[in-house]
Structures are given as structure tokens and as C-alpha cells.
Amino acid sequence: MISLIIPSYNNLQHLKNVYASIQKHAPKAEVILLDDGSTDGTWEWMQQVEIEANNKTRILKSEERVGHTILYDKGIDLATNDIVGILHADMILGPNYIENMIKHLQPGKVICATRIEPPLHPAGNEKIIMDFGMDFDTLNIDAFEEFVMHQQESNLDRVTRGMFAPWILYKTDFLAIGGHDPLFAPFPYEDSDIFQRWILAGYELVQSRDAFVYHLTCRGHRWTEQVGQDDDYFKQVSHKAGQNYIRKWGSWIQNDEFQHPIIIPKYNIAFQVTNCNMTLLQTLEPWCDRIYIDDAMQEFIDHYIDDEQPNTKFDLTKRVFCIGHNDPEAENDIVVSIDGNTCTQTDFQYIQQLSEILQDSGQPGTFKLGTLQITIVSLIAQESQLIVCKH
């Protein structure tokens, strides 16, 4: 009934463990393994597994590292079952995982499991902190499975609102909104983006509290050299993806205590900046739909676009302008006037929270917020336009 998709980059030992747990607890599941340009023997192992799996395991190799944002979707395209789910390579399935996920599933629903994690991150209501091993070679699988069986008895059929990997849903529901947005390739934040789009599409996001995985955390793309230490590649792509998330949604990620996304309205906002400089342009541009700066700074604009355009699929020539050549209030719903000589850190905090401020008390007219002058021509939320990702 289900296809499980697992991308992996140089995580062979973790991958062997998650695959073994699937064979033990979900032997009838179709498994789709995707090699993200690994150099540690992953592809050779996948080829051998495919031969031995009697057509229940499918494999795909990317010659270069493209990231799980792309590979999740390629794996789901390959899936032959109606239900699809994703796993991280550093996860281990607990007993009854599939049964306790699928029993809650319906069209228009996304079901996630409950993570049990070693004490590497802060505790949260959406997970259980318990040490059953800190790495692939120190796992106490027997103790983990015994703990899961007790938890399943005390949490039988219990659900809460929430969303995090691993999750399952109907393949048709995944495809209906266009899958993950390649804007966030290779990673991260593709998950927060699709979670919000699922909610806006009317899907219900549910966490099964009696379906468990052990999750070592961050081994697949973040802590590739040393546990607890972000690698340089992650830092680089995380910054790029973060900037693009803000460009798309106009605000940063927010979740409730169960990691259920909190949707912040997306408004059409422009910045009109006098006495601008390159640092201010770099800082402000992602936080608006259009930015207009002093006429004398066309050379700055050209330089900024040349440097930043390789980092985003947004056409920056349609986002950055000189003031004199345009009429911001005629082209945008909301215009924030900023003087670069007087703008403060407090003003930037207002900018980061502007969508929430407007949601709570915005109405057509002009008002001051710190040194900012804000003119509201129209206050129409536009986040529903972001539901479907058109590749």
C-alpha cells in the first residue's frame, strides 16, 4: 500500500540501518532509495539491494549532489503505490510504524510519526527525548523497540496536530500542489514551505502518537563531518534558502508547541529607501516584493543583481528599481518609506514583524512605526497564491 522514499548523501551506515528496520517492520513496503552523488559506496550497495529485493526496492542515482528537495519528488514520481512517505537516512522504524500511520490517513490528510531523539536538541511536545544511541554504531535497537511497545500501549490511537518528517500522504495529494518547491534546492526549509502550502490547500496535518521512529538528527545534510557541528556547505545553502523563504512568504517560519505551522499573511509590500547603501540593500531586499532606491544608485542595483541573481529563482530585475523611474504607491499595496541615515535596528525588527503588525491592526492610510512611514493602499493577503508550485 505504501512507498517509502529515502534520499542519502554519504550516509551508507545510517542507510543500512533504516533499510534493515523497514525490512523488519514493513517488509511489504516499496522502498525507493536515491543516491545524492555519494562517494562512500552508497550506489554500489543500493545496486546489490535492488538485486536482492525482488522488485520491492527501486533505486536512482544522481551524478552530482542536488539535495533532498529535488530527490524526494523524484522518488515520489517513481512510487507505484497510492500512498507515499518520506524518511531520513538517519531514522529507524519502530514496530507497527506503517499500521499506526495509515490507520489515520484519508485523502486531504498528512500524517507524521512521533520522533524519539537522543538529547542533542531542546525538548518539545512533538517528540520524546530518550537516548538509544548517539550514532549509527551505538544504537540499542532492542531497548528502542521495547520502549516503543510500551509507548504504543499508553498512546493507542492518540493524535495531535503537528507536522515534521517522517510523513505519509496520498500521492495524488502530493502532486496536486506541485510537490516541493525547487526554489529551496538543495535544502533546507523546503519542508516548512510545503507544510504551509498543505494547510493553505485545506489539508489536515496530524501527528500519530503511537507511530515511532528513532531519529539521530541532522546526519543527512547538516552534521556530515562532526556531530553537533554544521558543515560549511550547510551554512552556505541554508543562508540562500532562508533568503528565498523570506522572499516567498514575506516572514519567517513560525510553529506552535507541537510544530504545527502558524500561517502569517503574505502582503504585497514595497520599500522606498532614500540614502540607501549596499549593505542596506542586501539586508532589505528579501523582506519585500519590490525595493526602490535613490536614482543615483543604478550602478549599485546592477552590481547587486549580478551578485545575488545566481542565488534565487526570483527575477531581481523585477524587484529592485530606482525611485524616479517608478511610482511605488501605484504599483504596490503597501509602501514602507525608509531613510537609510536614520533607520535603526528597532526599525528592522518592525520590518521583520510587519506582516503580523498589519494583520493585527492594519487599515488603509498612512502611519509611523519608529522612523518608518507606512502607507497602506490595500490590505489583501496573497498567501493563497503560493499553494501550487509550478516547476
Side-chain angles (χ1 to χ4, degrees):
M1 292 180 63
I2 191 168
S3 299
L4 299 175
I5 289 85
I6 314 173
S8 183
Y9 170 73
N10 284 346
N11 269 286
L12 179 56
Q13 297 306 316
H14 294 292
L15 193 61
K16 288 179 177 179
N17 286 336
V18 67
Y19 187 77
S21 73
I22 294 170
Q23 297 311 300
K24 183 176 184 179
H25 297 301
K28 296 181 181 180
E30 178 181 57
V31 183
I32 299 175
L33 302 171
L34 305 115
D35 178 16
D36 192 13
S38 299
T39 58
D40 65 347
T42 289
W43 180 242
E44 291 75 14
W45 175 80
M46 285 183 179
Q47 290 176 300
Q48 186 62 36
V49 164
E50 183 184 38
I51 293 170
E52 298 171 354
N54 296 322
N55 297 319
K56 289 189 298 182
T57 298
R58 310 184 74 186
I59 63 175
L60 179 71
K61 178 179 178 61
S62 174
E63 294 299 331
E64 60 182 8
R65 192 177 185 186
V66 297
H68 56 243
T69 299
I70 301 298
L71 291 184
Y72 281 142
D73 291 50
K74 287 187 178 294
I76 288 173
D77 285 342
L78 290 173
T80 63
N81 289 312
D82 293 338
I83 300 169
V84 295
I86 64 105
L87 288 166
H88 294 180
D90 60 354
M91 290 177 172
I92 305 293
L93 263 64
N96 308 307
Y97 172 83
I98 298 296
E99 298 89 330
N100 288 348
M101 294 278 273
I102 285 181
K103 67 183 178 183
H104 302 295
L105 186 64
Q106 298 173 2
K109 269 190 175 182
V110 189
I111 313 299
C112 75
T114 298
R115 292 165 291 136
I116 301 172
E117 294 183 351
L120 293 168
H121 301 283
N125 291 330
E126 82 288 358
K127 61 185 175 181
I128 297 172
I129 301 298
M130 189 71 65
D131 188 356
F132 294 110
M134 300 293 281
D135 213 336
F136 67 86
D137 55 351
T138 61
L139 294 171
N140 189 339
I141 300 296
D142 290 341
F144 162 65
E145 292 181 347
E146 182 180 356
F147 179 79
V148 165
M149 297 301 290
H150 288 300
Q151 288 293 311
Q152 287 176 344
E153 290 179 9
S154 58
N155 290 281
L156 180 64
D157 296 333
R158 179 174 169 241
V159 296
T160 53
R161 289 197 341 151
M163 186 50 49
F164 198 91
W167 43 257
I168 67 169
L169 81 169
Y170 279 96
K171 182 175 178 178
T172 52
D173 284 340
F174 183 83
L175 297 177
I177 65 163
H180 289 99
D181 190 341
L183 176 68
F184 303 104
F187 50 77
Y189 311 127
E190 82 294 331
D191 49 358
S192 292
D193 173 80
I194 201 170
F195 297 166
Q196 295 209 148
R197 292 191 288 124
W198 281 337
I199 292 172
L200 292 170
Y203 299 0
E204 185 180 359
L205 276 52
V206 174
Q207 181 173 5
S208 172
R209 305 310 294 237
D210 60 1
F212 295 94
V213 295
Y214 191 61
H215 182 211
L216 285 166
T217 81
C218 301
R219 311 309 165 87
H221 65 287
R222 185 172 176 180
W223 297 346
T224 58
E225 298 174 7
Q226 181 178 333
V227 172
Q229 177 178 309
D230 292 349
D231 65 33
D232 290 339
Y233 182 75
F234 174 80
K235 292 176 184 177
Q236 174 190 344
V237 299
S238 181
H239 174 74
K240 182 182 77 167
Q243 296 290 89
N244 282 320
Y245 188 94
I246 295 165
R247 286 186 180 105
K248 180 173 182 176
W249 291 98
S251 57
W252 191 236
I253 300 160
Q254 291 193 35
N255 300 295
D256 68 13
E257 61 177 321
F258 293 102
Q259 291 300 302
H260 191 277
I262 298 170
I263 305 293
I264 307 298
K266 170 69 173 70
Y267 298 111
N268 170 233
I269 297 174
F271 296 159
Q272 179 174 282
V273 188
T274 56
N275 299 308
C276 194
N277 56 54
M278 184 59 76
T279 299
L280 199 56
L281 177 57
Q282 292 169 335
T283 301
L284 293 177
E285 179 270 319
W287 290 93
C288 61
D289 295 280
R290 297 184 183 92
I291 184 168
Y292 304 81
I293 66 175
D294 308 277
D295 292 351
M297 295 192 65
Q298 184 61 54
E299 186 176 342
F300 276 33
I301 292 174
D302 295 340
H303 181 67
Y304 177 74
I305 291 174
D306 286 344
D307 283 352
E308 187 63 21
Q309 190 62 72
N311 296 321
T312 184
K313 294 181 180 296
F314 285 92
D315 185 349
L316 296 181
T317 65
K318 297 179 180 178
R319 292 176 60 87
V320 188
F321 306 93
C322 287
I323 295 172
H325 296 173
N326 303 82
D327 183 354
E329 290 186 21
E331 298 174 351
N332 304 278
D333 291 345
I334 299 158
V335 178
V336 181
S337 297
I338 304 168
D339 184 340
N341 288 339
T342 60
C343 186
T344 67
Q345 183 61 37
T346 298
D347 293 324
F348 185 60
Q349 291 173 357
Y350 287 140
I351 287 169
Q352 293 174 300
Q353 300 167 8
L354 187 56
S355 293
E356 295 168 85
I357 293 170
L358 294 173
Q359 178 186 25
D360 292 338
S361 56
Q363 56 184 335
T366 299
F367 65 97
K368 295 279 286 187
L369 192 62
T371 71
L372 310 174
Q373 177 175 291
I374 300 171
T375 299
I376 301 175
V377 179
S378 177
L379 198 64
I380 301 174
Q382 301 180 342
E383 61 270 17
S384 62
Q385 298 176 19
L386 304 177
I387 295 173
V388 178
C389 176
K390 298 178 181 178
H391 294 215

